[in-house]
């Protein structure tokens, strides 16, 4: 079995995520699609202290770009759609070619075998209530959650119940996101009215085939990874993931390797790049796929990372929304940022350098902060 040094594994992981490639001079839809194809998804999060999380992975890899490109690809007219929302790694924006590979999850949700417990009732004894909501969307067109708030009318639900029904319809694939309001509220519509017909006409693979394809896609995005990391990428259960990994190893789609300092089995994508050097510079979102699996981040970079949004203020160690700073092939600092939009200012709440951070760290970080401020249309 091949042995990889810890440094080699780190460079492989960075290359797989697009950090071993120079940033392009300009960014258009084709460039954005290539980035999305590489990382496979952008996680969605509602925190907007800096910028919505789904915009940041592209900035980290490409530099300043027009955020409208993502809005158009995700929520634009049907003919321009290149992405769709679904539960993959948390709520995510995904390339359209992954839709067939996630239909097994939709089918499980439809029969009550997937989803949160409070949602599953809508697959069974409360299905009629969900179908009434679906009928209203079919008749009236795309509707936000707020359209189903309690109205004092018989047959309508309190907001919480309607939201759970809508989320089950979404999980089961009956509806999807038509657009997002300025408040980021999701607007639901029938899936067939939102996604291109050519995508919906793609054949649906069986569960095991789809899960193998998703694990292979995760391996391509991670470069080298453990089973837990491979299954975490698209939230595949332990038994399903183990079977998919075994099948891929048998077919040559994954290569078992040993990584220096790792206490568990690892698997290499056979097409993974192996750069001898990585000269990256990037601010990373807390939900970037390079670092969202915190144990992996610690193994790869020796960097213990937590964010403060779920922690009382007096217990935060590095601020509310600290972004790790990638320089070369190391995480060398973390900086808590806030976009003070009314003042036109990108505010540095705190900055912590890692032990042994290069002397050039602050100068390189300042250049990246200047680029981010320009990208966010903040003058200072």
């Amino acid at each position: 079995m091949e042995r990889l040094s810890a440094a080699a594994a780190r460079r492989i992981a960075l290359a797989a995520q697009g950090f071993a490639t120079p940033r392009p001079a300009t960014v258009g839809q084709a460039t954005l699609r290539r980035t999305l194809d590489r990382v496979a998804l952008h996680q969605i999060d509602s925190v907007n202290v800096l910028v919505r999380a789904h915009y940041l992975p592209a900035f980290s890899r490409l530099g300043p770009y027009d955020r409208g490109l993502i809005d158009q690809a995700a929520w634009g007219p049907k003919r321009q759609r290149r992405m769709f929302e679904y539960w993959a790694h948390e709520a995510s924006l995904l390339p359209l070619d992954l839709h067939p590979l996630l239909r097994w999850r939709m089918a499980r949700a439809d029969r009550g075998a997937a989803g949160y417990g409070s949602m599953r009732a809508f697959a069974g004894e409360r299905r009629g209530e969900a179908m009434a909501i679906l009928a209203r969307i079919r008749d009236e067109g795309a509707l936000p959650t707020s359209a189903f708030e309690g109205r004092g009318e018989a047959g309508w639900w309190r907001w919480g119940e309607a939201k759970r029904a809508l989320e089950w319809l979404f999980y089961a694939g009956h509806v999807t996101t038509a657009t997002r309001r300025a408040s980021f509220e999701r607007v639901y519509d029938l899936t067939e009215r939102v996604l291109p017909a050519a995508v919906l006409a793609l054949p649906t693979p069986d569960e095991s085939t789809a899960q193998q394809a998703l694990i292979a896609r995760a391996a391509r995005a991670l470069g080298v990874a453990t089973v837990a990391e491979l299954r975490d990428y698209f939230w595949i259960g332990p038994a399903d993931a183990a079977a998919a990994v075994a099948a891929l190893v048998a077919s040559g789609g994954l290569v078992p390797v040993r990584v220096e300092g790792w206490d568990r089995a690892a698997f290499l994508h056979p097409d993974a790049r192996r750069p001898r050097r990585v000269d990256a510079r990037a601010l990373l979102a807390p939900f970037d796929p390079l670092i969202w699996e915190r144990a992996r981040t610690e193994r790869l970079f020796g960097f213990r990372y937590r964010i403060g949004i779920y922690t009382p203020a007096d217990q935060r160690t590095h601020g509310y929304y600290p972004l790790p700073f990638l320089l070369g092939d190391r995480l060398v600092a973390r900086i808590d940022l806030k976009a003070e939009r009314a003042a036109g200012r990108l505010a540095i709440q705190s900055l912590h350098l890692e032990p042994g951070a290069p002397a050039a760290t602050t100068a390189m970080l300042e250049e990246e902060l200047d680029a981010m401020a320009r990208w966010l249309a903040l003058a200072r």
Side-chain angles (χ1 to χ4, degrees):
M1 186 181 296
E2 182 180 1
R3 295 176 182 269
L4 296 175
S5 69
R10 182 168 61 251
R11 293 192 298 269
I12 288 169
L14 286 165
Q17 283 285 311
F19 290 107
T21 303
R23 288 177 172 175
T26 59
V27 179
Q29 280 290 6
T31 312
L32 189 65
R33 283 200 299 274
R34 285 193 293 272
T35 297
L36 180 64
D37 182 64
R38 184 192 298 273
V39 301
L41 60 87
H42 288 188
Q43 186 175 330
I44 297 171
D45 188 81
S46 61
V47 174
N48 197 26
V49 65
L50 179 63
V51 66
R52 302 283 184 196
H54 60 277
Y55 294 118
L56 275 165
F59 172 79
S60 300
R61 291 153 179 80
L62 304 174
Y65 71 99
D66 178 4
R67 282 173 284 160
L69 293 173
I70 283 187
D71 294 339
Q72 181 187 66
W75 303 297
K78 181 188 288 192
R79 67 181 181 280
Q80 297 175 353
R81 295 258 174 160
R82 298 294 182 269
M83 305 159 79
F84 72 104
E85 283 191 38
Y86 193 59
W87 288 97
H89 182 92
E90 304 284 355
S92 303
L93 282 172
L94 304 114
L96 288 173
D97 67 295
L98 289 185
H99 190 272
L101 301 184
L102 290 162
R103 291 176 190 162
W104 61 272
R105 181 170 292 158
M106 299 175 193
R108 286 187 182 183
D110 189 62
R111 62 179 185 266
Y116 299 112
S118 60
M119 289 166 48
R120 295 189 183 200
F122 293 102
E125 64 269 23
R126 301 186 66 182
R127 193 179 186 96
E129 299 172 31
M131 290 299 107
I133 287 179
L134 184 64
R136 185 176 165 197
I137 293 171
R138 181 178 292 111
D139 293 342
E140 298 181 26
L143 292 171
T145 303
S146 56
F148 297 92
E149 291 177 350
R151 303 180 179 193
E153 300 173 13
W156 291 104
W157 301 265
R158 290 175 289 109
W159 182 91
E161 294 302 297
K163 177 64 174 175
R164 278 191 282 271
L166 283 164
E167 282 302 301
W168 174 76
L169 289 167
F170 179 84
Y171 211 157
H174 298 293
V175 299
T176 191
T177 307
T179 189
R180 290 273 186 168
R181 289 185 162 183
S183 63
F184 211 54
E185 181 184 18
R186 182 186 280 155
V187 179
Y188 300 87
D189 202 356
L190 303 183
T191 301
E192 59 266 28
R193 291 203 297 231
V194 174
L195 299 188
V199 173
L200 299 177
L202 292 172
T204 301
D206 62 70
E207 285 196 6
S208 62
T209 300
Q211 289 160 3
Q212 287 178 44
L214 289 172
I215 291 289
R217 193 71 169 260
R220 191 177 78 179
L222 293 170
V224 60
T226 66
V227 173
E229 293 157 3
L230 291 170
R231 72 180 189 85
D232 173 73
Y233 213 85
F234 291 103
W235 274 13
I236 297 176
D240 291 332
V245 168
L248 287 166
V249 169
S251 67
L254 286 176
V255 180
V257 293
R258 292 176 181 166
V259 180
E260 176 191 8
W262 291 22
D263 61 357
R264 60 203 70 188
F267 300 88
L268 179 75
H269 191 279
D271 299 328
R273 286 183 59 198
R274 303 187 186 206
R276 300 181 69 176
R277 180 183 176 89
V278 174
D279 291 312
R281 191 184 78 190
L283 288 162
L284 302 172
F287 308 108
D288 191 288
L290 179 68
I291 57 170
W292 69 33
E293 216 293 325
R294 306 308 192 207
R296 173 180 171 85
T297 302
E298 195 160 354
R299 278 202 311 279
L300 283 173
F301 299 100
F303 186 92
R304 190 175 190 275
Y305 180 50
R306 300 293 185 273
I307 54 177
I309 59 178
Y310 309 115
T311 306
D314 61 348
Q315 297 177 29
R316 294 172 191 152
T317 56
H318 298 99
Y320 180 77
Y321 201 72
L323 277 68
F325 181 49
L326 173 67
L327 187 62
D329 67 351
R330 296 173 54 200
L331 297 178
V332 298
R334 56 192 97 201
I335 183 166
D336 186 23
L337 296 174
K338 181 180 181 181
E340 295 182 346
R341 298 175 181 89
R345 179 172 60 190
L346 179 61
I348 300 173
Q349 313 275 66
S350 67
L351 167 63
H352 297 82
L353 300 182
E354 291 296 291
T361 295
T362 52
M364 294 295 99
L365 179 55
E366 188 165 352
E367 289 186 18
E368 199 66 12
L369 290 170
D370 285 344
M372 176 172 278
R374 292 196 306 273
W375 178 55
L376 297 177
L378 300 170
R380 293 181 292 155

